[in-house]
Amino acid sequence: MKKSLILLISFFIVVSVNAQKNFQGEITYRLHVSNEEKADAELKILFGVNKLKLRFKEKEDYDKEGLIVVFDSAAIFIVNKETKTYTRKPLHTNAPAKHFSKKSFAGYSSTPLIQESNGLGNILGGMMGTSDIVFYLSDSLYYNIPAAFVGNQELIAIQKNKIVLGAEININSPYKELQDSSSNQTNLITVEAVEIKPMIINEDEFTIPADYVDRKSSDYSPAEDSVAVSAPEIDTVAVAPPTARKTVPKKPVKSNKSKTAVKSSAVKRKE
């Protein structure tokens, strides 16, 4: 009886551990915006061991720039295949969680509400107006995000350590009072996973080729003074150094002493 109980407990422990195991593989999402005639966009995410790779396609081809997220080094790499350059930026790190207790105001008790960051606010910002968001989280696909990095917009496809398989985002225009009342003032963005491939991702997918040039983050910083003249663009693709000119030794100049001596003696005889 005791042995059977131990085996049963062990079974549940193994099942629990396996259920929380990080998903490895490739998920392709389709993004559709209502009230727009353009074709649906596509987002492809590769889930590796403590690494993610994101590629976006709005038309037929994927964008020239892709993202590689590396948790071990707390960094995001923006890789440009066309120019063979990359830029490194740090992952945003959350401050240690603060604990708030209930408070009373004028004799009425209150309960603190802490807004949870999901990364979407960084993408939409205030320019898009208010929005209602519903995430559809997988019941079986997990991917653990270190608590310090939760809230980075690049990690929006993972919420509460579960992979997002779908989303519905209602965006209300902040300028609706300026619009025609007959027009639809709300855009609905729908996101759905259309293909899920569990697999072991090749480590090369998360490696930046050795011949890619590091484009420093300072290249992207906005000018502090709008009047300042921006520096000219520099081609960051590696260029071979110019060929050095060969130095040719000068020929020694013959002395004119002998000629001068002959000329002076001839003049004396003439005199």
Side-chain angles (χ1 to χ4, degrees):
M1 180 68 179
K2 184 178 179 181
K3 185 177 180 181
S4 300
L5 184 61
I6 293 174
L7 289 175
L8 185 61
I9 294 174
S10 300
F11 170 76
F12 279 110
I13 291 175
V14 170
V15 170
S16 176
V17 170
N18 288 338
Q20 300 294 331
K21 187 177 180 180
N22 276 359
F23 169 78
Q24 293 187 54
E26 174 185 289
I27 298 182
T28 304
Y29 296 88
R30 182 172 59 213
L31 292 77
H32 175 77
V33 182
S34 65
N35 302 328
E36 292 191 10
E37 297 180 356
K38 63 182 181 181
D40 294 343
E42 183 178 294
L43 173 66
K44 189 181 294 291
I45 303 180
L46 303 183
F47 295 82
V49 180
N50 293 328
K51 296 175 184 177
L52 298 174
K53 185 174 183 177
L54 295 83
R55 298 179 65 197
F56 186 77
K57 180 169 70 174
E58 193 169 10
K59 296 180 180 179
E60 295 182 358
D61 301 322
Y62 282 98
D63 285 355
K64 60 183 179 181
E65 286 191 341
L67 297 179
I68 297 177
V69 182
V70 183
F71 295 111
D72 292 339
S73 56
I76 299 171
F77 295 90
I78 305 168
V79 185
N80 191 313
K81 283 189 172 183
E82 190 173 284
T83 60
K84 290 190 174 182
T85 59
Y86 69 91
T87 304
R88 183 187 190 279
K89 72 172 187 176
L91 273 169
H92 170 73
T93 304
N94 299 326
K98 294 182 180 180
H99 298 281
F100 299 90
S101 303
K102 287 189 175 185
K103 287 186 177 182
S104 295
F105 297 89
Y108 289 85
S109 63
S110 66
T111 301
L113 171 65
I114 303 173
Q115 293 289 347
E116 184 177 354
S117 175
N118 55 30
L120 192 62
N122 295 332
I123 296 176
L124 299 179
M127 297 299 294
M128 299 299 290
T130 59
S131 59
D132 300 318
I133 310 158
V134 177
F135 288 116
Y136 295 92
L137 310 184
S138 172
D139 293 327
S140 59
L141 301 180
Y142 296 86
Y143 199 92
N144 182 63
I145 300 295
F149 302 139
V150 172
N152 281 272
Q153 62 183 28
E154 293 82 4
L155 308 177
I156 190 174
I158 304 166
Q159 301 292 325
K160 297 184 179 297
N161 293 331
K162 293 183 178 181
I163 295 177
V164 176
L165 298 183
E168 295 177 2
I169 307 164
N170 277 294
I171 301 175
N172 301 313
S173 172
Y175 310 108
K176 60 183 178 181
E177 65 276 3
L178 301 178
Q179 297 177 350
D180 184 358
S181 58
S182 62
S183 63
N184 194 336
Q185 299 164 356
T186 302
N187 276 336
L188 173 64
I189 301 176
T190 56
V191 182
E192 59 176 328
V194 294
E195 187 175 29
I196 300 174
K197 296 180 180 178
M199 67 176 80
I200 303 299
I201 305 297
N202 193 317
E203 191 66 20
D204 291 343
E205 291 284 354
F206 307 101
T207 303
I208 299 174
D211 61 339
Y212 278 37
V213 177
D214 184 3
R215 209 165 41 175
K216 302 300 181 183
S217 57
S218 59
D219 296 345
Y220 292 92
S221 59
E224 295 181 2
D225 187 357
S226 59
V227 182
V229 179
S230 59
E233 293 186 3
I234 300 175
D235 187 1
T236 54
V237 179
V239 180
T243 306
R245 295 182 179 178
K246 294 183 179 180
T247 55
V248 181
K250 295 182 179 180
K251 295 181 179 180
V253 180
K254 293 182 180 180
S255 174
N256 293 329
K257 288 183 179 180
S258 58
K259 291 183 179 180
T260 306
V262 172
K263 184 177 180 181
S264 59
S265 59
V267 172
K268 285 182 179 179
R269 283 200 299 271
K270 188 175 181 182
E271 291 176 350

